[in-house]
Amino acid sequence: MKNTAARESGLRPESERFHPLRFTLSFVGSVLALLALLAAANHALNPLVFSRGALRDVAAALVQGKHVAVYDPNLDFRGLRREHIRLMPEAPDVAIFAGSRFEVATRNTFPGRSFYNAFGHNDYFEDLFAFVGLLEEANRLPKTLVMSVRYITFEPIARRETEEWKMFAPEYQRMAERLGVPVAPFRMTFPRDHYASLLSLDVAKHGLVQSFKKTSAPFGATDKESLPDMDVIHPDGSMSFSAAHAGTFTAESARKESLGRAEKLKKKSATQPTDDDKAALGKLLDHLRSKGVQAVIAITPHHPAFWQAIAHENYGKALSQLEQTVRQLAALHDAAFVGSFDPKAAGCQERSFRDYIHLDEACLKSIFDQIPPITADKTAIKP
């Protein structure tokens, strides 16, 4: 009756009238539902990026001595290290941490000793504190801990192009606070891009493309140390490339890429550590020594063609200065220092490089062999 009366009076019925608030709420609700659906899809399609449970499953398999095959190696390696270290039955004799420069170092690099490779892509200064903190909180500090400094280790946060290091933000903050060193504010360490990527159509597209390519699960345990079409993570934390992936590396492509990179970088300057950086790193090294850990700082070399092209340019001079500063800092705090940005000084041949910074296990072993042995009282023998 009310609607009939409304029509007779020339007014639209209440149910047919436009209500801005109701429309807005309905629209916002629909958008949020679509975003939630997209996030759920990305979470399901990319489990080793977003799912802690999936990372824990991989870690559990590794602890059981199994290899784990993955279709896409661009996973949350820091999340995997967190889960793996917490599940370890005991501390390894040797642990190493760096970016992908260390990824192919296996237990054979340190024969006769238990070993863990905790590489994580795109490492920065804060990662060193985070990894030490993670090991200490899990009571898994090794006898020898090798940590790497690279050409942009000390790059200011505002200038960094990648943010994988932020996945270690909680461990970094807790460790820095324990040592009494300045801590970057939360707004600069929160992995905003990581969580925003849950709402990315590009990430969803990548996941869908990968899923259509796969004939099996995106990851799974295997008894094979290498596979034709999947990269393999080993129980010691290292990784081997698929035959298809490894087949893309050639001496010619490595040299070409190195020369191209040198041309872009030679006039630039590598970031040097600030006084605060040096003081903080010194405290970390002192802390490790107080815990009976042999601390080692390793610098890995660049491709010979790259180094030859930049050695006497601004960039090469800055790298040499950075290396000298870190070497002196290590000596000041009774830590070992091995390696060099210069491939000749590091003892590495051109055949060891697949691009301008990534190298093979033979080169890494030649660097790690420079680490002084530990005496019975757990102090390193001075070279």
Side-chain angles (χ1 to χ4, degrees):
M1 294 292 292
K2 290 183 178 180
N3 287 345
T4 301
R7 288 192 180 93
E8 291 176 351
S9 66
L11 298 176
R12 298 182 65 183
E14 177 68 21
S15 59
E16 297 179 8
R17 293 179 188 174
F18 177 73
H19 295 274
L21 179 59
R22 185 182 301 169
F23 173 80
T24 300
L25 292 176
S26 178
F27 176 77
V28 170
S30 298
V31 170
L32 291 176
L34 288 173
L35 290 177
L37 184 62
L38 178 59
N42 277 328
H43 191 279
L45 290 168
N46 303 277
L48 297 185
V49 176
F50 299 115
S51 173
R52 181 177 178 181
L55 293 170
R56 189 182 299 113
D57 289 343
V58 173
L62 296 174
V63 168
Q64 294 169 14
K66 300 174 182 177
H67 306 280
V68 176
V70 296
Y71 272 104
D72 187 351
N74 295 307
L75 52 93
D76 178 10
F77 270 105
R78 286 166 179 78
L80 176 59
R81 304 311 179 193
R82 182 182 292 117
E83 300 301 327
H84 196 171
I85 289 169
R86 289 173 178 173
L87 292 176
M88 282 181 179
E90 59 185 7
D93 293 331
V94 180
I96 63 175
F97 176 81
S100 54
R101 303 176 306 288
F102 278 12
E103 63 193 349
V104 297
T106 71
R107 62 186 183 279
N108 298 322
T109 316
F110 292 89
R113 288 184 278 179
S114 58
F115 167 76
Y116 184 56
N117 183 342
F119 80 87
H121 298 308
N122 296 315
D123 53 313
Y124 284 101
F125 181 60
E126 293 79 7
D127 276 314
L128 306 181
F129 293 83
F131 187 61
V132 172
L134 177 58
L135 289 169
E136 186 170 342
E137 290 171 358
N139 194 28
R140 294 295 181 266
L141 282 171
K143 297 173 183 176
T144 298
L145 176 59
V146 185
M147 302 175 291
S148 183
V149 166
R150 64 174 179 146
Y151 60 105
I152 52 174
T153 289
F154 301 100
E155 189 80 358
I157 293 176
R159 296 214 304 258
R160 295 177 188 175
E161 297 180 355
T162 59
E163 67 159 34
E164 289 96 332
W165 65 274
K166 293 182 180 181
M167 302 307 291
F168 260 170
E171 288 83 3
Y172 151 66
Q173 290 167 341
R174 291 195 297 269
M175 190 66 204
E177 288 171 356
R178 286 202 295 274
L179 295 179
V181 303
V183 180
F186 176 79
R187 61 181 173 79
M188 300 180 74
T189 62
F190 178 73
R192 181 184 64 251
D193 290 349
H194 172 77
Y195 291 108
S197 65
L198 275 169
L199 306 178
S200 168
L201 290 174
D202 287 338
V203 172
K205 179 182 177 181
H206 172 77
L208 284 170
V209 170
Q210 291 296 316
S211 67
F212 281 118
K213 287 181 179 179
K214 298 165 189 169
T215 57
S216 60
F219 65 94
T222 175
D223 58 356
K224 305 291 186 181
E225 292 192 9
S226 61
L227 291 169
D229 59 346
M230 297 179 75
D231 295 338
V232 177
I233 303 172
H234 303 140
D236 62 13
S238 63
M239 186 172 74
S240 61
F241 299 111
S242 68
H245 192 172
T248 63
F249 308 142
T250 67
E252 292 75 18
S253 65
R255 173 169 278 270
K256 181 179 179 180
E257 193 264 356
S258 297
L259 290 173
R261 182 72 66 158
E263 187 62 30
K264 291 179 180 179
L265 292 176
K266 65 183 183 181
K267 299 303 181 183
K268 297 184 180 295
S269 182
T271 303
Q272 306 298 318
T274 65
D275 288 342
D276 284 345
D277 292 337
K278 289 185 283 188
L281 184 54
K283 286 187 176 182
L284 184 66
L285 297 175
D286 290 343
H287 180 75
L288 286 168
R289 189 175 70 251
S290 74
K291 296 292 183 178
V293 177
Q294 179 191 27
V296 181
I297 296 179
I299 286 181
T300 54
H302 293 289
H303 190 286
F306 176 89
W307 184 255
Q308 185 176 7
I310 61 96
H312 301 293
E313 302 285 350
N314 289 345
Y315 195 65
K317 292 176 181 178
L319 287 179
S320 295
Q321 180 184 342
L322 173 60
E323 180 177 326
Q324 183 63 20
T325 297
V326 175
R327 183 187 296 272
Q328 291 173 347
L329 185 66
L332 183 63
H333 294 275
D334 291 328
F337 178 93
V338 296
S340 174
F341 289 119
D342 180 348
K344 185 176 181 180
C348 296
Q349 305 298 316
E350 181 170 342
R351 62 178 176 270
S352 285
F353 293 83
R354 69 174 189 266
D355 57 25
Y356 86 111
I357 55 170
H358 291 100
L359 27 87
D360 64 10
E361 188 172 25
C363 174
L364 289 169
K365 190 174 189 310
S366 71
I367 294 170
F368 297 150
D369 282 347
Q370 301 168 23
I371 298 173
I374 302 176
T375 61
D377 65 353
K378 297 185 179 181
T379 59
I381 298 174
K382 297 294 182 181

